[in-house]
Short mmCIF file of all heavy atoms in Angstrom, two decimals:
data_model
loop_
_atom_site.label_atom_id
_atom_site.label_comp_id
_atom_site.label_asym_id
_atom_site.label_seq_id
_atom_site.Cartn_x
_atom_site.Cartn_y
_atom_site.Cartn_z
N MET A 473 12.12 -4.99 -13.81
CA MET A 473 11.98 -4.42 -15.16
C MET A 473 13.33 -4.57 -15.91
O MET A 473 13.38 -4.35 -17.16
CB MET A 473 11.52 -2.98 -14.99
CG MET A 473 10.00 -2.90 -14.69
SD MET A 473 9.48 -1.25 -14.55
CE MET A 473 7.81 -1.44 -13.98
N PHE A 474 14.40 -4.94 -15.21
CA PHE A 474 15.69 -5.11 -15.97
C PHE A 474 15.66 -6.56 -16.69
O PHE A 474 16.46 -6.77 -17.59
CB PHE A 474 16.86 -5.14 -14.95
CG PHE A 474 17.29 -3.76 -14.50
CD1 PHE A 474 16.91 -3.25 -13.18
CD2 PHE A 474 17.85 -2.83 -15.38
CE1 PHE A 474 17.25 -2.14 -12.79
CE2 PHE A 474 18.27 -1.60 -14.94
CZ PHE A 474 17.90 -1.21 -13.57
N PHE A 475 14.68 -7.36 -16.29
CA PHE A 475 14.65 -8.73 -16.74
C PHE A 475 13.35 -9.09 -17.56
O PHE A 475 13.47 -9.99 -18.47
CB PHE A 475 14.83 -9.65 -15.63
CG PHE A 475 15.88 -9.49 -14.71
CD1 PHE A 475 15.69 -8.94 -13.47
CD2 PHE A 475 17.21 -9.90 -15.05
CE1 PHE A 475 16.71 -8.63 -12.53
CE2 PHE A 475 18.28 -9.71 -14.15
CZ PHE A 475 18.08 -9.09 -12.93
N TYR A 476 12.35 -8.28 -17.34
CA TYR A 476 11.13 -8.54 -18.00
C TYR A 476 10.58 -7.29 -18.65
O TYR A 476 10.86 -6.18 -18.22
CB TYR A 476 10.02 -9.19 -17.07
CG TYR A 476 10.47 -10.36 -16.35
CD1 TYR A 476 11.07 -10.30 -15.07
CD2 TYR A 476 10.32 -11.63 -16.99
CE1 TYR A 476 11.46 -11.50 -14.40
CE2 TYR A 476 10.64 -12.76 -16.28
CZ TYR A 476 11.26 -12.70 -14.98
OH TYR A 476 11.58 -13.98 -14.38
N ASP A 477 9.49 -7.40 -19.61
CA ASP A 477 8.90 -6.30 -20.07
C ASP A 477 8.11 -5.51 -18.88
O ASP A 477 7.61 -6.19 -18.14
CB ASP A 477 7.83 -6.65 -21.22
CG ASP A 477 7.08 -5.54 -21.82
OD1 ASP A 477 7.57 -4.92 -22.61
OD2 ASP A 477 5.88 -5.40 -21.37
N PRO A 478 8.24 -4.25 -18.87
CA PRO A 478 7.49 -3.41 -17.73
C PRO A 478 6.13 -3.76 -17.70
O PRO A 478 5.54 -3.89 -16.56
CB PRO A 478 7.78 -1.97 -18.19
CG PRO A 478 9.09 -2.00 -18.98
CD PRO A 478 9.00 -3.35 -19.71
N LYS A 479 5.33 -3.80 -18.71
CA LYS A 479 3.84 -4.12 -18.69
C LYS A 479 3.62 -5.66 -18.02
O LYS A 479 2.72 -5.82 -17.20
CB LYS A 479 3.24 -4.05 -20.05
CG LYS A 479 3.09 -2.63 -20.51
CD LYS A 479 2.38 -2.62 -21.81
CE LYS A 479 2.20 -1.07 -22.37
NZ LYS A 479 1.52 -1.12 -23.63
N LEU A 480 4.47 -6.46 -18.38
CA LEU A 480 4.31 -7.84 -17.84
C LEU A 480 4.73 -7.87 -16.34
O LEU A 480 4.11 -8.49 -15.50
CB LEU A 480 5.36 -8.81 -18.49
CG LEU A 480 5.31 -10.29 -18.06
CD1 LEU A 480 3.99 -10.89 -18.40
CD2 LEU A 480 6.42 -11.05 -18.72
N VAL A 481 5.68 -7.04 -15.89
CA VAL A 481 6.01 -6.85 -14.52
C VAL A 481 4.87 -6.38 -13.67
O VAL A 481 4.73 -6.88 -12.56
CB VAL A 481 7.28 -5.91 -14.31
CG1 VAL A 481 7.49 -5.60 -12.87
CG2 VAL A 481 8.44 -6.49 -14.92
N VAL A 482 4.23 -5.45 -14.16
CA VAL A 482 2.99 -4.95 -13.37
C VAL A 482 2.06 -6.08 -13.13
O VAL A 482 1.63 -6.26 -11.95
CB VAL A 482 2.20 -3.91 -14.21
CG1 VAL A 482 1.01 -3.49 -13.53
CG2 VAL A 482 3.18 -2.64 -14.36
N LEU A 483 1.72 -6.91 -14.01
CA LEU A 483 0.87 -8.08 -13.85
C LEU A 483 1.49 -9.17 -12.86
O LEU A 483 0.78 -9.63 -12.11
CB LEU A 483 0.35 -8.60 -15.25
CG LEU A 483 -0.26 -7.66 -16.14
CD1 LEU A 483 -0.63 -8.45 -17.41
CD2 LEU A 483 -1.71 -7.18 -15.44
N MET A 484 2.77 -9.32 -13.09
CA MET A 484 3.36 -10.34 -12.31
C MET A 484 3.41 -9.93 -10.80
O MET A 484 3.17 -10.80 -9.97
CB MET A 484 4.96 -10.49 -12.85
CG MET A 484 5.07 -11.12 -14.12
SD MET A 484 6.71 -11.07 -14.79
CE MET A 484 7.59 -11.90 -13.53
N MET A 485 3.61 -8.70 -10.62
CA MET A 485 3.68 -8.20 -9.25
C MET A 485 2.24 -8.31 -8.49
O MET A 485 2.29 -8.41 -7.33
CB MET A 485 4.18 -6.74 -9.03
CG MET A 485 5.68 -6.52 -9.52
SD MET A 485 6.69 -7.65 -8.60
CE MET A 485 6.21 -7.37 -6.89
N VAL A 486 1.17 -8.11 -9.36
CA VAL A 486 -0.22 -8.17 -8.63
C VAL A 486 -0.26 -9.61 -8.19
O VAL A 486 -0.75 -9.87 -7.09
CB VAL A 486 -1.23 -7.89 -9.78
CG1 VAL A 486 -2.51 -8.17 -9.18
CG2 VAL A 486 -1.14 -6.35 -10.06
N PHE A 487 0.04 -10.63 -9.04
CA PHE A 487 0.07 -12.06 -8.68
C PHE A 487 0.85 -12.34 -7.57
O PHE A 487 0.56 -13.07 -6.46
CB PHE A 487 0.34 -12.87 -9.82
CG PHE A 487 0.43 -14.42 -9.52
CD1 PHE A 487 -0.70 -15.18 -9.22
CD2 PHE A 487 1.75 -15.07 -9.37
CE1 PHE A 487 -0.64 -16.47 -8.86
CE2 PHE A 487 1.81 -16.35 -9.04
CZ PHE A 487 0.68 -17.06 -8.90
#
Side-chain angles (χ1 to χ4, degrees):
M473 287 179 186
F474 286 106
F475 308 99
Y476 303 96
D477 178 78
K479 290 185 178 181
L480 182 64
V481 169
V482 173
L483 299 179
M484 289 170 61
M485 288 311 307
V486 173
F487 172 73

